[in-house]
Amino acid sequence: MHIISIEIKDRRFVLPAGVGSDATHTTPQYSYAVCCLKTDTSITGVGLAFTLGVGTDLVCKAIEYLSMSLVGREMEELMSDFGTVYRKMVDSPSFRWLGPHKGVVHLALAAVVNACYDLWAKSRKVPLWKLLLDLTPEQLVNTLDLSYLEEVLTRDQAIAMLTDHVPGRENRKGVLSTGYRGYDTSVGWFNFSDEKIVDNTKKAMANGFTALKLKVGSDDPARDVRRAGLIRNVAGDNATIMVDANQKWNVPQALDICRRLAEVNPFWIEEPTHPDDVIGHQTIARTIAPLKVATGEHIPNKVIFKNFFQAKAMDFCQVDAVRVGGISEFLTISLLSKSMGIPVVPHVGDMGQIHQHLVLFNHIGMDHEHLFLEHIPHLKQYFVNPAEVCEAYYQVPQTPGSSSDLKD
Amino acid sequence: MHIISIEIKDRRFVLPAGVGSDATHTTPQYSYAVCCLKTDTSITGVGLAFTLGVGTDLVCKAIEYLSMSLVGREMEELMSDFGTVYRKMVDSPSFRWLGPHKGVVHLALAAVVNACYDLWAKSRKVPLWKLLLDLTPEQLVNTLDLSYLEEVLTRDQAIAMLTDHVPGRENRKGVLSTGYRGYDTSVGWFNFSDEKIVDNTKKAMANGFTALKLKVGSDDPARDVRRAGLIRNVAGDNATIMVDANQKWNVPQALDICRRLAEVNPFWIEEPTHPDDVIGHQTIARTIAPLKVATGEHIPNKVIFKNFFQAKAMDFCQVDAVRVGGISEFLTISLLSKSMGIPVVPHVGDMGQIHQHLVLFNHIGMDHEHLFLEHIPHLKQYFVNPAEVCEAYYQVPQTPGSSSDLKD
């Protein structure tokens, strides 16, 4: 199977009022820059990068620059040494000036890389999670670019880690029977009224969810504390409640408000400050312990994740395969995360479509803990094979590929 | 004076063979994404963002998104509270997803912000350095966005710092008579032959330069050591020689090669590893001391600079006003740098055109040490008012504005 041409799509979706809103991103339009790899067969590889609307065209244009070198490539040959292909794309000598490894060009890379893995899985007629499990440790590591991680994770160490976890796979395959647990993010969008978040909490609990998220970061922190209390009252002491400030606070504010939010016993506090601030997060994590810090949806690459892990600046790693350099860099960061003792709980800019595969592989193949995966249902109608969540569990996808196909 | 329309230009320049080459960026095409603010007068504000060619169109398109809110604004009113305008631009709720504060959208911001300051200086009929010196500390700080720096630099602290340095200004205005010392980067481009770098060194010394830079990061480190030795031999023990690896090494490689380069007594080692790697740079700085580390040309924003300073991960701050959010964020980072005891020695993606103004202000207005400013002459012919360097000193620019006007 050969890639014969590239098609790029700018897809933007209208959301109901208030949906997707947070303290920082008040009026999101969920959108995808889509890379489609056309082949000499009827199969097309589809890769997504997530945006909030404005400027998706920039990502689309960057996809064009990054993907052109793929035309003519044979799939198995391409993926047999994809780590090298990846490194050539991210370190293209002049284009990299626009990043490197961050922003528009890296979002575009996500779409291109994800399309390659999607096509690979489709060509082998297996869902992505199975493709990844079918690879030998060496074959999997061949798809990764481990440069700039040498002092913490070498190629040999990565292969050894995967190899060490092969014997335990059978036990962990139990997840293929149960499905992967989900948590509900759509309970408490920032612009929702108190009545609506209470009502949504009841509905979520009725649907089997026991883990819920509330958006915080209000100008008046008392609103955050009050709303978190409302959800705690409805959901009960046993529910898992996460609060998410979406970068709204500076470090002194975060320290103050986290202290006040502690009374509702949140499972984590997400994005308490600027996503680039490793030392700010370190200060917050040290000060608010045993409260825990989650972050990662705006961390663009493995080098910055490495720094967060080294600084013990996050307790949960929320890497997103439609923000970092696609599935390849997601896997690299998952390996790094595992080696440094941090659980991976992805942010799902893809609405969980790709990540439902990735958490299965992370759990079975790397022995990452089966915690839960974010669930956001708002784009379900636009996917050809939307993630199925029953009684709060993601059902194991069986269709070949990464579940990224969008309806026209 | 009102802004009535925006014109955006994609300007790319052809360089002679080998010029501009480094270990990572092997075939650069020096280019600018240019933001032109047209007014209801004959004056136009011109702002630059620097790229290496490919993808400059992406930056141009992002300039369009960012600058549209400026149309109709009156200049003095705009600049009287520019920090707020800046923050609104960088935190535009959906567009910021593409960064935030990094990559293509932040390069575009540089062009937009630089055009505002250029226009402001032109409207007041003074060169940029004088505009900045003429502002009161409070007026200057009003043009900055100090968010996410609160734990290290508040607004009051910034104003106090500037105020404290007012009395010493008269002494430091001596630099207006001497000009600002330059150093020569164009001696030792990566692709230049040994003969050429020796010849260039002789020419640079004959022109009065006593500070020179060599590009390193060769696949065979012995080449770097040999070439540095050649320059040292020609320039003599008193010359200041900087070596620049342009991110080529991983951390273990950097530690090894820096040790070997120590024998030529470099003044600093520049960009020894990935520009996002705060802790990597910290490790390198600690290990190779008293050798010093310089970095910053690829650090996109104040938050990451803050982390580098907090971690003592750099000895020289090479912030570039055509990489960060323009003159506004350059000044913010200069204040932060001063408050944390780090000298600012800018990288000059602008070929020194804007930075010749900024280092004068940094020295006179903030008491930053008068070290030297990078000099790269390759685009001289394209500027209306090219920087004049005589006997290795930048002559003080007298034309109104920021010296950013390009010939058509």
Side-chain angles (χ1 to χ4, degrees):
Chain A
M1 183 181 295
H2 290 75
I3 297 167
I4 57 168
S5 65
I6 317 284
E7 191 182 348
I8 300 163
K9 295 177 183 173
D10 180 339
R11 298 292 305 272
R12 310 189 191 195
F13 307 98
V14 176
L15 299 173
V19 161
S21 58
D22 65 49
T24 298
H25 311 94
T26 46
T27 51
Q29 177 175 32
Y30 285 0
S31 303
Y32 293 117
V34 189
C35 175
C36 303
L37 302 175
K38 304 280 189 178
T39 67
D40 49 5
T41 73
S42 61
I43 298 175
T44 295
V46 176
L48 308 177
F50 180 62
T51 72
L52 295 189
V54 189
T56 312
D57 47 315
L58 299 176
V59 184
C60 288
K61 182 68 186 173
I63 290 174
E64 195 179 318
Y65 286 119
L66 283 172
S67 63
M68 53 178 111
S69 66
L70 297 177
V71 174
R73 297 296 299 264
E74 196 280 319
M75 272 319 289
E76 288 292 338
E77 183 269 332
L78 177 74
M79 298 311 290
S80 70
D81 185 26
F82 190 70
T84 303
V85 176
Y86 179 102
R87 178 127 200 226
K88 275 190 188 157
M89 283 196 284
V90 295
D91 279 339
S92 165
S94 292
F95 200 60
R96 82 188 290 288
W97 191 269
L98 305 179
H101 316 150
K102 57 180 72 69
V104 166
V105 299
H106 213 58
L107 286 164
L109 181 77
V112 175
V113 168
N114 289 336
C116 290
Y117 282 83
D118 181 68
L119 185 56
W120 198 19
K122 285 171 175 168
S123 75
R124 289 190 175 191
K125 300 186 177 56
V126 290
L128 176 64
W129 62 265
K130 184 157 190 325
L131 170 87
L132 297 174
L133 284 176
D134 286 347
L135 299 173
T136 65
E138 187 164 2
Q139 286 169 335
L140 188 112
V141 172
N142 284 349
T143 70
L144 312 181
D145 168 20
L146 300 175
S147 60
Y148 295 114
L149 303 179
E150 292 77 1
E151 75 280 27
V152 290
L153 183 70
T154 64
R155 174 183 163 81
D156 287 348
Q157 287 168 334
I159 293 172
M161 268 181 67
L162 289 165
T163 306
D164 287 349
H165 291 304
V166 169
R169 281 186 176 198
E170 286 311 312
N171 277 335
R172 294 189 297 274
K173 279 185 179 169
V175 70
L176 298 176
S177 310
T178 61
Y180 200 94
R181 188 178 172 220
Y183 77 82
D184 192 335
T185 289
S186 48
V187 167
W189 295 117
F190 191 72
N191 293 345
F192 281 179
S193 67
D194 289 3
E195 294 68 32
K196 186 148 186 166
I197 64 172
V198 166
D199 191 44
N200 283 347
T201 301
K202 289 176 185 164
K203 284 183 190 156
M205 303 289 289
N207 285 329
F209 286 99
T210 56
L212 317 163
K213 192 186 284 181
L214 173 72
K215 295 294 186 179
V216 294
S218 304
D219 287 336
D220 176 10
R223 177 181 184 256
D224 297 339
V225 177
R226 176 171 51 74
R227 286 158 64 88
L230 286 175
I231 293 185
R232 173 61 73 201
N233 279 342
V234 175
D237 286 346
N238 292 330
T240 301
I241 297 173
M242 289 84 88
V243 294
D244 184 357
N246 288 91
Q247 317 168 22
K248 189 69 179 179
W249 304 319
N250 59 46
V251 173
Q253 286 173 329
L255 295 177
D256 175 48
I257 303 171
C258 288
R259 190 180 48 75
R260 296 163 67 178
L261 282 165
E263 69 181 59
V264 295
N265 189 25
F267 185 70
W268 71 46
I269 299 198
E270 183 170 338
E271 285 204 302
T273 192
H274 195 288
D276 296 342
D277 198 346
V278 178
I279 293 176
H281 280 85
Q282 181 189 55
T283 302
I284 294 166
R286 281 179 183 169
T287 310
I288 71 172
L291 270 184
K292 293 190 186 304
V293 170
T295 192
E297 75 185 70
H298 265 88
I299 299 180
N301 65 52
K302 64 191 175 188
V303 174
I304 308 180
F305 274 105
K306 177 182 75 172
N307 277 192
F308 268 88
F309 300 156
Q310 289 170 315
K312 301 189 194 305
M314 66 166 72
D315 299 293
F316 296 97
C317 167
Q318 298 183 299
V319 54
D320 188 334
V322 293
R323 158 74 66 187
V324 299
I327 293 163
S328 174
E329 194 166 21
F330 178 96
L331 293 169
T332 298
I333 292 162
S334 293
L335 278 166
L336 193 61
S337 201
K338 178 71 187 171
S339 77
M340 297 175 90
I342 309 291
V344 174
V345 187
H347 175 261
V348 298
D350 66 325
M351 306 299 129
Q353 294 294 124
I354 307 170
H355 289 100
Q356 62 182 334
H357 298 264
L358 296 175
V359 291
L360 289 174
F361 177 73
N362 271 5
H363 177 57
I364 299 170
M366 278 185 220
D367 196 20
H368 266 294
E369 189 180 353
H370 174 181
L371 277 165
F372 39 39
L373 179 62
E374 180 167 33
H375 175 56
I376 307 179
H378 308 305
L379 299 184
K380 202 170 156 78
Q381 62 192 299
Y382 303 110
F383 283 101
V384 175
N385 299 296
E388 285 185 49
V389 177
C390 300
E391 285 292 318
Y393 276 73
Y394 275 88
Q395 304 302 293
V396 175
Q398 302 297 343
T399 311
S402 66
S403 310
S404 299
D405 290 2
L406 287 159
K407 294 178 190 166
D408 280 332
Chain B
M1 184 181 293
H2 291 76
I3 298 167
I4 58 169
S5 66
I6 317 283
E7 191 182 349
I8 299 162
K9 295 177 183 172
D10 180 339
R11 298 292 305 272
R12 310 188 190 196
F13 308 98
V14 176
L15 298 173
V19 162
S21 59
D22 65 50
T24 299
H25 311 95
T26 45
T27 51
Q29 178 176 32
Y30 284 1
S31 304
Y32 293 117
V34 188
C35 176
C36 303
L37 303 175
K38 303 280 189 177
T39 66
D40 49 6
T41 73
S42 62
I43 299 176
T44 295
V46 176
L48 308 177
F50 181 61
T51 72
L52 295 188
V54 189
T56 312
D57 48 317
L58 299 176
V59 183
C60 288
K61 183 69 187 169
I63 290 174
E64 197 179 317
Y65 287 118
L66 284 172
S67 62
M68 51 178 109
S69 67
L70 297 178
V71 174
R73 297 296 300 265
E74 196 281 318
M75 271 318 288
E76 288 293 335
E77 183 271 332
L78 177 74
M79 300 309 291
S80 69
D81 186 26
F82 191 70
T84 304
V85 175
Y86 178 102
R87 179 125 200 229
K88 276 191 187 155
M89 283 196 285
V90 294
D91 279 340
S92 166
S94 292
F95 199 60
R96 81 187 291 289
W97 192 268
L98 305 177
H101 318 152
K102 55 180 73 70
V104 166
V105 298
H106 213 60
L107 287 165
L109 181 77
V112 175
V113 168
N114 289 336
C116 290
Y117 282 83
D118 181 67
L119 185 55
W120 198 21
K122 285 172 176 167
S123 75
R124 290 191 174 191
K125 301 187 175 58
V126 290
L128 175 65
W129 63 265
K130 184 157 190 325
L131 170 87
L132 298 174
L133 284 176
D134 288 346
L135 299 173
T136 66
E138 186 163 3
Q139 286 169 334
L140 188 111
V141 172
N142 284 349
T143 70
L144 311 182
D145 168 19
L146 301 175
S147 60
Y148 294 114
L149 303 179
E150 292 78 359
E151 75 279 27
V152 290
L153 184 70
T154 64
R155 174 182 164 81
D156 287 348
Q157 287 169 334
I159 292 173
M161 268 180 67
L162 288 166
T163 306
D164 288 349
H165 291 305
V166 169
R169 281 186 175 197
E170 287 310 312
N171 275 336
R172 293 189 298 276
K173 280 186 179 168
V175 71
L176 298 176
S177 310
T178 60
Y180 201 95
R181 190 178 171 220
Y183 76 80
D184 191 335
T185 289
S186 48
V187 167
W189 296 116
F190 191 72
N191 292 345
F192 281 180
S193 67
D194 291 1
E195 294 67 33
K196 185 148 186 165
I197 65 172
V198 167
D199 193 42
N200 283 348
T201 302
K202 289 177 186 164
K203 283 183 190 157
M205 304 288 289
N207 286 328
F209 286 99
T210 55
L212 316 162
K213 193 187 282 180
L214 174 72
K215 296 294 185 179
V216 295
S218 305
D219 287 337
D220 176 9
R223 176 181 184 257
D224 297 339
V225 178
R226 174 172 51 75
R227 285 159 64 90
L230 285 175
I231 292 185
R232 174 60 74 201
N233 279 342
V234 174
D237 287 345
N238 292 330
T240 302
I241 297 173
M242 290 84 87
V243 295
D244 184 357
N246 288 91
Q247 317 167 23
K248 190 69 180 181
W249 304 319
N250 60 44
V251 173
Q253 287 173 329
L255 295 176
D256 175 49
I257 303 170
C258 289
R259 192 180 46 77
R260 296 164 66 178
L261 282 166
E263 70 181 56
V264 295
N265 190 26
F267 185 70
W268 73 46
I269 301 201
E270 184 170 337
E271 285 204 301
T273 191
H274 195 288
D276 297 341
D277 198 344
V278 178
I279 293 176
H281 280 84
Q282 181 188 55
T283 303
I284 294 166
R286 281 179 183 169
T287 310
I288 72 173
L291 269 183
K292 295 191 184 304
V293 170
T295 191
E297 75 185 70
H298 266 86
I299 299 180
N301 66 52
K302 64 192 174 188
V303 174
I304 308 179
F305 274 104
K306 176 182 75 171
N307 277 191
F308 268 88
F309 300 155
Q310 289 171 314
K312 301 190 193 305
M314 66 167 72
D315 299 292
F316 295 96
C317 166
Q318 299 183 299
V319 54
D320 188 333
V322 295
R323 158 74 64 187
V324 298
I327 292 163
S328 174
E329 194 167 21
F330 178 96
L331 294 170
T332 299
I333 292 162
S334 294
L335 277 166
L336 194 62
S337 201
K338 177 69 187 174
S339 76
M340 298 176 88
I342 309 291
V344 173
V345 188
H347 175 260
V348 299
D350 65 327
M351 307 297 128
Q353 295 293 124
I354 309 171
H355 289 100
Q356 62 182 332
H357 297 264
L358 295 174
V359 291
L360 289 175
F361 177 73
N362 271 6
H363 177 57
I364 299 170
M366 278 187 222
D367 197 20
H368 266 296
E369 189 180 352
H370 175 181
L371 278 164
F372 39 39
L373 178 63
E374 181 168 32
H375 175 55
I376 307 180
H378 307 306
L379 300 185
K380 202 172 156 77
Q381 62 192 300
Y382 303 109
F383 282 100
V384 176
N385 299 296
E388 284 185 50
V389 177
C390 300
E391 284 293 317
Y393 275 72
Y394 275 88
Q395 303 303 292
V396 176
Q398 302 297 343
T399 311
S402 67
S403 310
S404 298
D405 290 2
L406 288 158
K407 293 178 190 165
D408 280 329

